[in-house]
Amino acid sequence: MQEFATKEITTDVLIIGGGMAATGSAVEAAYWGKQNGQKVTVVDKAAFDRSGAVAMGLSAINQYTGENSPIDYLSYVQQDLMGLCRQDLVMDIARHVSGSVHMFEGFGLPIWKDAEGNYVHEGRWQLMINGESYKLILAEAAKNAIATLGDDGEIIERVFVTELLMDKNDKNRVAGAVGIDIREPYDFYVFKCKVAIVACGGAVHVFRPRSTGEGLGRAWYPPWQSGSTSALMQKAGAEMTSQEVIFIPARFKDGYGPVGAWFLLFKAAATTASGVNYMEEGFKEGGELHNWLPYGAVKPIPTCLRNHLMMKAIYEKGDGPILMQTADAIERIASEAPDEKAKKKKMKELEAEAWEDFLDMTISQAILWASKNVYPEKQPSEIAPSEPYFIGSHSGASGAWCSGPEDLQNDASKSEYFWGYNRMSTVTGMFSAGDGVGLSSHKFSSGSFTEGRIAAKAAIKFCVENADMPEVDMDKVSYIKEKTYAPMKLYEDNKGYSVVDEKKGYTYSEEINPNYIDPKMFMFRIQKIMDEYAAGWGSQYTCSAITLNIALDLLKYCREDLDKVAARDIHELMRYWENVHRLLTAEAHVRHKLFREETRWPGYYYRADFPKLEEDAWGKVFVNSKWDDETGEWEMIKRDNIDIIKLGEVVGQ
Ligand code: SFD
Ligand code: AMP
């Protein structure tokens, strides 16, 4: 088998990931690192310029507080998540996020302005942008910042981090990471660091996607986010939180085009196939939302409840598909023009905006519209609830249980929510941000960048106050290296295919061999289990203790079969490791779903055996978990949802 050289990098701060959170971390770490003589290294599995969820660009910045107070934002977030969020974390981002957005504008991001020069809002918190090059612009800013460090700053691309290294003398302190180089010369990387900021985004393709065949791989969130953040941290022994709170985005069917601009900017209505405005119906006196009080009575209707109303219409009433009434919305806005000529001009403008919304962030939806001859100004378009995603930065809440800022705690929360360094996990020296931090939802791109900045500032403080380098056990690293490439060895030892010569193998296809399975097949296994037993779209988002226990049994067999997965080349080796990360993310998710005996987020998932909100038992608790990598044991933990801040009443979208 091919030999892989080992390359060692020693740094103070290791930023793992190169997305929104990581660019924020890089900018801030470079600033404070320069003042304090700290080295900063960024490692990204992809090309920094276009990596992460924002690769295709975005058409809006979804978190901008502007003239609203941070408490307004917190109130909105808490009610959207059916009462569950860490108030200190959400407030912390809300008070800093507008500053980050102003930085983006300074970096060159075009934000829409009206005739008076004010930002054009999509909704109360969202700003419209020309965001095709959003990620490129932030990557450039991060590169410039890292460059100011000279030899003390480095960005390494195309290296996939497979696992973290712990201190030889302290099992609960991070000491580094290892990763595989997926470009020549294919080195095995060993990073040694004082702190790691783990910011590898959320998890996609843990559940079976709706897309199949030639569309397979298309998802709303990027398929190259494979649960690395949660798996790396959980494996390192970190306490994780809210792994049950996935996000089901309602999206334009098949292309996964986002709906925000249609609902908020164009104020379009979504209806059932027979034309019922199911959201209005649900909100009315005696409507379905009254079964979910107090959250069913608020506006905007929480994201999961909007889904719930849609799912009821499709699955219970058979009144699907759901239609976004794009033509009505465009006609309504254009009709406000003073005369026919102005109306025609306005129509053209709106049509262009409708296409640009997708061309800026979900090009595949524009391609699908074009290929299906869809004219948004003439006809409605189907929207549908998609498969579940793990994304702590949007309307989900999964991620690491992290320390919050000291100044926002009260007497009750200080001992529970603060342990020295903002956004540090329960593992010493291991920080996170963006999709990786649990219970600080609705941060989106701008809030993830902001949280990256917050984490990096605290990480540099940690380095200054803890100057000693942890020790990496190089014997253990040798063992890890062998294990890392084992799937390639398995392939080399068993490769060959011939129907006539048995020595050369057993079948005519490289993919089918009794001695191994390939990583893609292994991923399908996980997806099928999750879809059918853990409340994916194929089971109409419904599970019970019985189905979840079946899922756990089947996932256990997947774990047993991990050493039967083979990799034909370095790219498949990365696919193997992506699935190792997906598997741990899946296991954690099922355990969390099993532990919380209620249905708190209808529209995300239903516990058929506990079909209601159980406010007394579960309304004020978070579900956390820890995994012991050596024994494979899980510990489930309840943590209090402590009120720190008095919330305001939220009105308006
Ligand atoms: O409306 C490893 N998002 C939106 N946010 C907005 O502000 N406005 C919008 O309009 C948004 N919309 C939207 C959004 C996302 C997508 C895909 C679409 C539309 C189609 C959400 C934001 O993008 C999201 O909140 C942030 O990007 C989250 O930031 P972060 O940093 O947590 O994740 P990332 O940016 O994906 O970066 C992850 C990085 O990790 C790397 N990576 N590196 C090394 N080793 C490993 N093992 C790794 N695994 C992953 C990746 O390469 C990447 O660099 S709307 O629809 O919601
Ligand atoms: P999306 O395109 O669904 O990711 O949404 C973009 C932003 O708009 C997010 O902040 C959503 O929470 C918000 N949003 C989307 N649809 C609605 C709606 N119907 N009512 C209120 N807010 C919404």
Side-chain angles (χ1 to χ4, degrees), residues 88-116:
D88 57 330
L89 302 179
V90 177
M91 273 287 285
D92 197 21
I93 298 178
R95 65 181 169 172
H96 293 302
V97 72
S98 298
S100 293
V101 173
H102 300 149
M103 279 169 84
F104 297 169
E105 206 174 11
F107 297 152
L109 179 72
I111 305 181
W112 289 18
K113 299 269 176 63
D114 64 16
E116 281 79 49

PDB file of all heavy atoms in Angstrom, residues 88-116:
ATOM      1  N   ASP A  88     -27.902  33.328  27.592  1.00  0.00           N
ATOM      2  CA  ASP A  88     -26.615  34.029  27.611  1.00  0.00           C
ATOM      3  C   ASP A  88     -25.932  33.959  26.237  1.00  0.00           C
ATOM      4  O   ASP A  88     -25.362  34.951  25.764  1.00  0.00           O
ATOM      5  CB  ASP A  88     -25.697  33.458  28.705  1.00  0.00           C
ATOM      6  CG  ASP A  88     -25.443  31.952  28.551  1.00  0.00           C
ATOM      7  OD1 ASP A  88     -26.329  31.245  28.025  1.00  0.00           O
ATOM      8  OD2 ASP A  88     -24.355  31.484  28.954  1.00  0.00           O
ATOM      9  N   LEU A  89     -26.042  32.802  25.583  1.00  0.00           N
ATOM     10  CA  LEU A  89     -25.356  32.633  24.291  1.00  0.00           C
ATOM     11  C   LEU A  89     -26.037  33.452  23.190  1.00  0.00           C
ATOM     12  O   LEU A  89     -25.375  34.108  22.378  1.00  0.00           O
ATOM     13  CB  LEU A  89     -25.334  31.152  23.888  1.00  0.00           C
ATOM     14  CG  LEU A  89     -24.659  30.168  24.859  1.00  0.00           C
ATOM     15  CD1 LEU A  89     -24.757  28.743  24.320  1.00  0.00           C
ATOM     16  CD2 LEU A  89     -23.193  30.531  25.095  1.00  0.00           C
ATOM     17  N   VAL A  90     -27.370  33.402  23.180  1.00  0.00           N
ATOM     18  CA  VAL A  90     -28.109  34.121  22.129  1.00  0.00           C
ATOM     19  C   VAL A  90     -27.907  35.632  22.280  1.00  0.00           C
ATOM     20  O   VAL A  90     -27.644  36.350  21.301  1.00  0.00           O
ATOM     21  CB  VAL A  90     -29.608  33.757  22.166  1.00  0.00           C
ATOM     22  CG1 VAL A  90     -30.388  34.561  21.132  1.00  0.00           C
ATOM     23  CG2 VAL A  90     -29.814  32.261  21.922  1.00  0.00           C
ATOM     24  N   MET A  91     -28.012  36.114  23.527  1.00  0.00           N
ATOM     25  CA  MET A  91     -27.831  37.555  23.788  1.00  0.00           C
ATOM     26  C   MET A  91     -26.433  38.017  23.385  1.00  0.00           C
ATOM     27  O   MET A  91     -26.242  39.107  22.853  1.00  0.00           O
ATOM     28  CB  MET A  91     -27.979  37.823  25.297  1.00  0.00           C
ATOM     29  CG  MET A  91     -29.363  38.050  25.768  1.00  0.00           C
ATOM     30  SD  MET A  91     -30.027  39.643  25.274  1.00  0.00           S
ATOM     31  CE  MET A  91     -29.178  40.742  26.391  1.00  0.00           C
ATOM     32  N   ASP A  92     -25.473  37.166  23.672  1.00  0.00           N
ATOM     33  CA  ASP A  92     -24.072  37.513  23.418  1.00  0.00           C
ATOM     34  C   ASP A  92     -23.841  37.773  21.925  1.00  0.00           C
ATOM     35  O   ASP A  92     -23.161  38.732  21.533  1.00  0.00           O
ATOM     36  CB  ASP A  92     -23.205  36.334  23.899  1.00  0.00           C
ATOM     37  CG  ASP A  92     -21.750  36.705  24.074  1.00  0.00           C
ATOM     38  OD1 ASP A  92     -21.456  37.897  24.225  1.00  0.00           O
ATOM     39  OD2 ASP A  92     -20.900  35.786  24.063  1.00  0.00           O
ATOM     40  N   ILE A  93     -24.436  36.913  21.098  1.00  0.00           N
ATOM     41  CA  ILE A  93     -24.278  37.119  19.648  1.00  0.00           C
ATOM     42  C   ILE A  93     -25.086  38.339  19.214  1.00  0.00           C
ATOM     43  O   ILE A  93     -24.606  39.183  18.447  1.00  0.00           O
ATOM     44  CB  ILE A  93     -24.724  35.870  18.857  1.00  0.00           C
ATOM     45  CG1 ILE A  93     -23.851  34.678  19.233  1.00  0.00           C
ATOM     46  CG2 ILE A  93     -24.652  36.126  17.348  1.00  0.00           C
ATOM     47  CD1 ILE A  93     -24.226  33.379  18.553  1.00  0.00           C
ATOM     48  N   ALA A  94     -26.330  38.432  19.730  1.00  0.00           N
ATOM     49  CA  ALA A  94     -27.216  39.524  19.297  1.00  0.00           C
ATOM     50  C   ALA A  94     -26.608  40.900  19.580  1.00  0.00           C
ATOM     51  O   ALA A  94     -26.802  41.842  18.808  1.00  0.00           O
ATOM     52  CB  ALA A  94     -28.576  39.388  19.973  1.00  0.00           C
ATOM     53  N   ARG A  95     -25.823  41.002  20.656  1.00  0.00           N
ATOM     54  CA  ARG A  95     -25.275  42.334  20.970  1.00  0.00           C
ATOM     55  C   ARG A  95     -24.061  42.684  20.111  1.00  0.00           C
ATOM     56  O   ARG A  95     -23.633  43.825  20.077  1.00  0.00           O
ATOM     57  CB  ARG A  95     -24.934  42.440  22.459  1.00  0.00           C
ATOM     58  CG  ARG A  95     -23.828  41.519  22.920  1.00  0.00           C
ATOM     59  CD  ARG A  95     -23.558  41.677  24.414  1.00  0.00           C
ATOM     60  NE  ARG A  95     -22.677  40.624  24.902  1.00  0.00           N
ATOM     61  CZ  ARG A  95     -22.162  40.607  26.113  1.00  0.00           C
ATOM     62  NH1 ARG A  95     -22.441  41.553  26.981  1.00  0.00           N
ATOM     63  NH2 ARG A  95     -21.364  39.622  26.501  1.00  0.00           N
ATOM     64  N   HIS A  96     -23.465  41.668  19.460  1.00  0.00           N
ATOM     65  CA  HIS A  96     -22.266  41.949  18.647  1.00  0.00           C
ATOM     66  C   HIS A  96     -22.474  41.810  17.141  1.00  0.00           C
ATOM     67  O   HIS A  96     -21.626  42.215  16.360  1.00  0.00           O
ATOM     68  CB  HIS A  96     -21.134  41.001  19.052  1.00  0.00           C
ATOM     69  CG  HIS A  96     -20.623  41.234  20.447  1.00  0.00           C
ATOM     70  ND1 HIS A  96     -20.111  42.433  20.872  1.00  0.00           N
ATOM     71  CD2 HIS A  96     -20.557  40.402  21.518  1.00  0.00           C
ATOM     72  CE1 HIS A  96     -19.741  42.343  22.135  1.00  0.00           C
ATOM     73  NE2 HIS A  96     -20.008  41.118  22.557  1.00  0.00           N
ATOM     74  N   VAL A  97     -23.602  41.188  16.736  1.00  0.00           N
ATOM     75  CA  VAL A  97     -23.709  40.779  15.333  1.00  0.00           C
ATOM     76  C   VAL A  97     -23.754  41.956  14.350  1.00  0.00           C
ATOM     77  O   VAL A  97     -23.203  41.877  13.243  1.00  0.00           O
ATOM     78  CB  VAL A  97     -24.921  39.830  15.122  1.00  0.00           C
ATOM     79  CG1 VAL A  97     -26.242  40.587  15.222  1.00  0.00           C
ATOM     80  CG2 VAL A  97     -24.829  39.113  13.791  1.00  0.00           C
ATOM     81  N   SER A  98     -24.384  43.052  14.747  1.00  0.00           N
ATOM     82  CA  SER A  98     -24.491  44.166  13.794  1.00  0.00           C
ATOM     83  C   SER A  98     -23.103  44.710  13.459  1.00  0.00           C
ATOM     84  O   SER A  98     -22.836  45.099  12.313  1.00  0.00           O
ATOM     85  CB  SER A  98     -25.398  45.267  14.357  1.00  0.00           C
ATOM     86  OG  SER A  98     -26.691  44.730  14.534  1.00  0.00           O
ATOM     87  N   GLY A  99     -22.221  44.705  14.457  1.00  0.00           N
ATOM     88  CA  GLY A  99     -20.834  45.140  14.216  1.00  0.00           C
ATOM     89  C   GLY A  99     -20.173  44.267  13.161  1.00  0.00           C
ATOM     90  O   GLY A  99     -19.431  44.758  12.297  1.00  0.00           O
ATOM     91  N   SER A 100     -20.442  42.962  13.228  1.00  0.00           N
ATOM     92  CA  SER A 100     -19.852  42.057  12.221  1.00  0.00           C
ATOM     93  C   SER A 100     -20.386  42.386  10.832  1.00  0.00           C
ATOM     94  O   SER A 100     -19.643  42.383   9.847  1.00  0.00           O
ATOM     95  CB  SER A 100     -20.175  40.592  12.542  1.00  0.00           C
ATOM     96  OG  SER A 100     -19.529  40.195  13.710  1.00  0.00           O
ATOM     97  N   VAL A 101     -21.697  42.663  10.763  1.00  0.00           N
ATOM     98  CA  VAL A 101     -22.292  42.968   9.452  1.00  0.00           C
ATOM     99  C   VAL A 101     -21.658  44.246   8.883  1.00  0.00           C
ATOM    100  O   VAL A 101     -21.367  44.331   7.679  1.00  0.00           O
ATOM    101  CB  VAL A 101     -23.829  43.081   9.564  1.00  0.00           C
ATOM    102  CG1 VAL A 101     -24.439  43.560   8.259  1.00  0.00           C
ATOM    103  CG2 VAL A 101     -24.424  41.731   9.973  1.00  0.00           C
ATOM    104  N   HIS A 102     -21.402  45.203   9.737  1.00  0.00           N
ATOM    105  CA  HIS A 102     -20.752  46.429   9.257  1.00  0.00           C
ATOM    106  C   HIS A 102     -19.327  46.117   8.761  1.00  0.00           C
ATOM    107  O   HIS A 102     -18.834  46.703   7.798  1.00  0.00           O
ATOM    108  CB  HIS A 102     -20.742  47.498  10.347  1.00  0.00           C
ATOM    109  CG  HIS A 102     -22.132  47.871  10.797  1.00  0.00           C
ATOM    110  ND1 HIS A 102     -22.430  48.288  12.067  1.00  0.00           N
ATOM    111  CD2 HIS A 102     -23.321  47.839  10.134  1.00  0.00           C
ATOM    112  CE1 HIS A 102     -23.746  48.495  12.167  1.00  0.00           C
ATOM    113  NE2 HIS A 102     -24.295  48.233  10.998  1.00  0.00           N
ATOM    114  N   MET A 103     -18.686  45.159   9.443  1.00  0.00           N
ATOM    115  CA  MET A 103     -17.353  44.727   8.962  1.00  0.00           C
ATOM    116  C   MET A 103     -17.471  44.133   7.557  1.00  0.00           C
ATOM    117  O   MET A 103     -16.653  44.415   6.684  1.00  0.00           O
ATOM    118  CB  MET A 103     -16.772  43.638   9.881  1.00  0.00           C
ATOM    119  CG  MET A 103     -16.127  44.123  11.144  1.00  0.00           C
ATOM    120  SD  MET A 103     -15.781  42.723  12.261  1.00  0.00           S
ATOM    121  CE  MET A 103     -14.237  42.135  11.654  1.00  0.00           C
ATOM    122  N   PHE A 104     -18.522  43.309   7.343  1.00  0.00           N
ATOM    123  CA  PHE A 104     -18.695  42.671   6.016  1.00  0.00           C
ATOM    124  C   PHE A 104     -18.779  43.747   4.937  1.00  0.00           C
ATOM    125  O   PHE A 104     -18.215  43.613   3.855  1.00  0.00           O
ATOM    126  CB  PHE A 104     -19.982  41.838   5.937  1.00  0.00           C
ATOM    127  CG  PHE A 104     -20.050  40.650   6.873  1.00  0.00           C
ATOM    128  CD1 PHE A 104     -21.249  39.964   7.056  1.00  0.00           C
ATOM    129  CD2 PHE A 104     -18.932  40.220   7.566  1.00  0.00           C
ATOM    130  CE1 PHE A 104     -21.321  38.878   7.905  1.00  0.00           C
ATOM    131  CE2 PHE A 104     -18.996  39.122   8.426  1.00  0.00           C
ATOM    132  CZ  PHE A 104     -20.200  38.457   8.595  1.00  0.00           C
ATOM    133  N   GLU A 105     -19.526  44.791   5.250  1.00  0.00           N
ATOM    134  CA  GLU A 105     -19.680  45.860   4.261  1.00  0.00           C
ATOM    135  C   GLU A 105     -18.307  46.491   3.983  1.00  0.00           C
ATOM    136  O   GLU A 105     -17.960  46.765   2.827  1.00  0.00           O
ATOM    137  CB  GLU A 105     -20.680  46.908   4.759  1.00  0.00           C
ATOM    138  CG  GLU A 105     -21.323  47.629   3.610  1.00  0.00           C
ATOM    139  CD  GLU A 105     -22.432  48.594   4.037  1.00  0.00           C
ATOM    140  OE1 GLU A 105     -22.593  48.882   5.245  1.00  0.00           O
ATOM    141  OE2 GLU A 105     -23.126  49.079   3.135  1.00  0.00           O
ATOM    142  N   GLY A 106     -17.548  46.652   5.046  1.00  0.00           N
ATOM    143  CA  GLY A 106     -16.185  47.185   4.889  1.00  0.00           C
ATOM    144  C   GLY A 106     -15.309  46.256   4.055  1.00  0.00           C
ATOM    145  O   GLY A 106     -14.427  46.715   3.313  1.00  0.00           O
ATOM    146  N   PHE A 107     -15.519  44.957   4.169  1.00  0.00           N
ATOM    147  CA  PHE A 107     -14.726  43.997   3.367  1.00  0.00           C
ATOM    148  C   PHE A 107     -15.144  44.032   1.889  1.00  0.00           C
ATOM    149  O   PHE A 107     -14.504  43.430   1.035  1.00  0.00           O
ATOM    150  CB  PHE A 107     -14.943  42.552   3.842  1.00  0.00           C
ATOM    151  CG  PHE A 107     -14.494  42.256   5.254  1.00  0.00           C
ATOM    152  CD1 PHE A 107     -15.114  41.243   5.993  1.00  0.00           C
ATOM    153  CD2 PHE A 107     -13.459  42.959   5.855  1.00  0.00           C
ATOM    154  CE1 PHE A 107     -14.709  40.949   7.291  1.00  0.00           C
ATOM    155  CE2 PHE A 107     -13.053  42.666   7.155  1.00  0.00           C
ATOM    156  CZ  PHE A 107     -13.677  41.661   7.874  1.00  0.00           C
ATOM    157  N   GLY A 108     -16.288  44.651   1.602  1.00  0.00           N
ATOM    158  CA  GLY A 108     -16.715  44.769   0.201  1.00  0.00           C
ATOM    159  C   GLY A 108     -17.989  44.029  -0.148  1.00  0.00           C
ATOM    160  O   GLY A 108     -18.341  43.920  -1.323  1.00  0.00           O
ATOM    161  N   LEU A 109     -18.704  43.509   0.850  1.00  0.00           N
ATOM    162  CA  LEU A 109     -19.953  42.791   0.539  1.00  0.00           C
ATOM    163  C   LEU A 109     -21.047  43.792   0.165  1.00  0.00           C
ATOM    164  O   LEU A 109     -21.354  44.696   0.960  1.00  0.00           O
ATOM    165  CB  LEU A 109     -20.401  41.965   1.761  1.00  0.00           C
ATOM    166  CG  LEU A 109     -21.706  41.197   1.562  1.00  0.00           C
ATOM    167  CD1 LEU A 109     -21.502  40.014   0.622  1.00  0.00           C
ATOM    168  CD2 LEU A 109     -22.258  40.694   2.896  1.00  0.00           C
ATOM    169  N   PRO A 110     -21.654  43.646  -1.015  1.00  0.00           N
ATOM    170  CA  PRO A 110     -22.720  44.581  -1.385  1.00  0.00           C
ATOM    171  C   PRO A 110     -24.035  44.269  -0.652  1.00  0.00           C
ATOM    172  O   PRO A 110     -24.618  43.206  -0.843  1.00  0.00           O
ATOM    173  CB  PRO A 110     -22.895  44.356  -2.900  1.00  0.00           C
ATOM    174  CG  PRO A 110     -21.821  43.398  -3.321  1.00  0.00           C
ATOM    175  CD  PRO A 110     -21.358  42.684  -2.095  1.00  0.00           C
ATOM    176  N   ILE A 111     -24.449  45.188   0.197  1.00  0.00           N
ATOM    177  CA  ILE A 111     -25.724  45.043   0.917  1.00  0.00           C
ATOM    178  C   ILE A 111     -26.722  45.981   0.235  1.00  0.00           C
ATOM    179  O   ILE A 111     -26.392  47.132  -0.052  1.00  0.00           O
ATOM    180  CB  ILE A 111     -25.566  45.419   2.416  1.00  0.00           C
ATOM    181  CG1 ILE A 111     -24.427  44.586   3.048  1.00  0.00           C
ATOM    182  CG2 ILE A 111     -26.887  45.217   3.185  1.00  0.00           C
ATOM    183  CD1 ILE A 111     -24.181  44.835   4.528  1.00  0.00           C
ATOM    184  N   TRP A 112     -27.937  45.485  -0.026  1.00  0.00           N
ATOM    185  CA  TRP A 112     -28.917  46.320  -0.741  1.00  0.00           C
ATOM    186  C   TRP A 112     -29.223  47.589   0.066  1.00  0.00           C
ATOM    187  O   TRP A 112     -29.370  47.527   1.295  1.00  0.00           O
ATOM    188  CB  TRP A 112     -30.243  45.561  -0.926  1.00  0.00           C
ATOM    189  CG  TRP A 112     -30.217  44.427  -1.902  1.00  0.00           C
ATOM    190  CD1 TRP A 112     -29.132  43.768  -2.390  1.00  0.00           C
ATOM    191  CD2 TRP A 112     -31.374  43.810  -2.480  1.00  0.00           C
ATOM    192  NE1 TRP A 112     -29.527  42.771  -3.248  1.00  0.00           N
ATOM    193  CE2 TRP A 112     -30.896  42.769  -3.329  1.00  0.00           C
ATOM    194  CE3 TRP A 112     -32.744  44.015  -2.387  1.00  0.00           C
ATOM    195  CZ2 TRP A 112     -31.756  41.948  -4.050  1.00  0.00           C
ATOM    196  CZ3 TRP A 112     -33.593  43.189  -3.110  1.00  0.00           C
ATOM    197  CH2 TRP A 112     -33.108  42.174  -3.941  1.00  0.00           C
ATOM    198  N   LYS A 113     -29.355  48.695  -0.664  1.00  0.00           N
ATOM    199  CA  LYS A 113     -29.725  49.960  -0.017  1.00  0.00           C
ATOM    200  C   LYS A 113     -30.946  50.536  -0.729  1.00  0.00           C
ATOM    201  O   LYS A 113     -31.103  50.362  -1.937  1.00  0.00           O
ATOM    202  CB  LYS A 113     -28.576  50.976  -0.150  1.00  0.00           C
ATOM    203  CG  LYS A 113     -27.261  50.575   0.502  1.00  0.00           C
ATOM    204  CD  LYS A 113     -27.186  51.057   1.928  1.00  0.00           C
ATOM    205  CE  LYS A 113     -25.934  50.610   2.647  1.00  0.00           C
ATOM    206  NZ  LYS A 113     -24.692  51.115   2.102  1.00  0.00           N
ATOM    207  N   ASP A 114     -31.785  51.261   0.025  1.00  0.00           N
ATOM    208  CA  ASP A 114     -32.919  51.929  -0.621  1.00  0.00           C
ATOM    209  C   ASP A 114     -32.491  53.331  -1.082  1.00  0.00           C
ATOM    210  O   ASP A 114     -31.310  53.706  -0.950  1.00  0.00           O
ATOM    211  CB  ASP A 114     -34.139  51.958   0.315  1.00  0.00           C
ATOM    212  CG  ASP A 114     -33.880  52.790   1.574  1.00  0.00           C
ATOM    213  OD1 ASP A 114     -32.905  53.577   1.580  1.00  0.00           O
ATOM    214  OD2 ASP A 114     -34.640  52.647   2.547  1.00  0.00           O
ATOM    215  N   ALA A 115     -33.451  54.107  -1.594  1.00  0.00           N
ATOM    216  CA  ALA A 115     -33.121  55.427  -2.156  1.00  0.00           C
ATOM    217  C   ALA A 115     -32.502  56.358  -1.113  1.00  0.00           C
ATOM    218  O   ALA A 115     -31.694  57.234  -1.433  1.00  0.00           O
ATOM    219  CB  ALA A 115     -34.385  56.050  -2.744  1.00  0.00           C
ATOM    220  N   GLU A 116     -32.859  56.132   0.161  1.00  0.00           N
ATOM    221  CA  GLU A 116     -32.302  56.982   1.233  1.00  0.00           C
ATOM    222  C   GLU A 116     -30.968  56.452   1.762  1.00  0.00           C
ATOM    223  O   GLU A 116     -30.380  57.007   2.692  1.00  0.00           O
ATOM    224  CB  GLU A 116     -33.276  57.073   2.420  1.00  0.00           C
ATOM    225  CG  GLU A 116     -34.443  58.053   2.243  1.00  0.00           C
ATOM    226  CD  GLU A 116     -35.536  57.451   1.376  1.00  0.00           C
ATOM    227  OE1 GLU A 116     -35.926  56.307   1.646  1.00  0.00           O
ATOM    228  OE2 GLU A 116     -35.949  58.120   0.409  1.00  0.00           O
TER     229      GLU A 116
END
